[in-house]
Amino acid sequence: MALTEASEKFGKAQYIEGEGVMAFYYRLTRYVDWMVRPPDRYTFKKHYIMHLPKGIFDYFLSRR
């Protein structure tokens, strides 16, 4: 994978229905591992949570 390709895939990554929350998380971490300059923890978590389906996102918010 090209160096910039990992950053692009991370930026465009979306949750895939039926994939599962943890599979999405692991896919994002794989992209981060391939990046020359990975995002900080806040950016990673924000991207992860904001790209989950609304029902799952609302569940996370309700759990504090």
Side-chain angles (χ1 to χ4, degrees):
M1 178 176 293
L3 298 176
T4 58
E5 189 177 348
S7 294
E8 290 173 11
K9 285 190 174 199
F10 177 81
K12 294 178 181 178
Q14 297 290 325
Y15 176 82
I16 299 171
E17 194 67 39
E19 175 185 55
V21 174
M22 289 306 296
F24 178 51
Y25 175 82
Y26 289 130
R27 186 163 38 99
L28 289 178
T29 58
R30 215 169 339 136
Y31 296 149
V32 167
D33 289 341
W34 295 331
M35 295 169 115
V36 174
R37 186 169 182 218
D40 57 82
R41 290 181 70 188
Y42 175 80
T43 304
F44 178 88
K45 289 179 180 182
K46 180 180 175 187
H47 182 82
Y48 173 63
I49 291 173
M50 297 302 290
H51 288 86
L52 291 173
K54 182 164 176 27
I56 297 171
F57 178 80
D58 290 342
Y59 174 77
F60 281 148
L61 286 180
S62 70
R63 301 283 301 172
R64 297 184 191 190

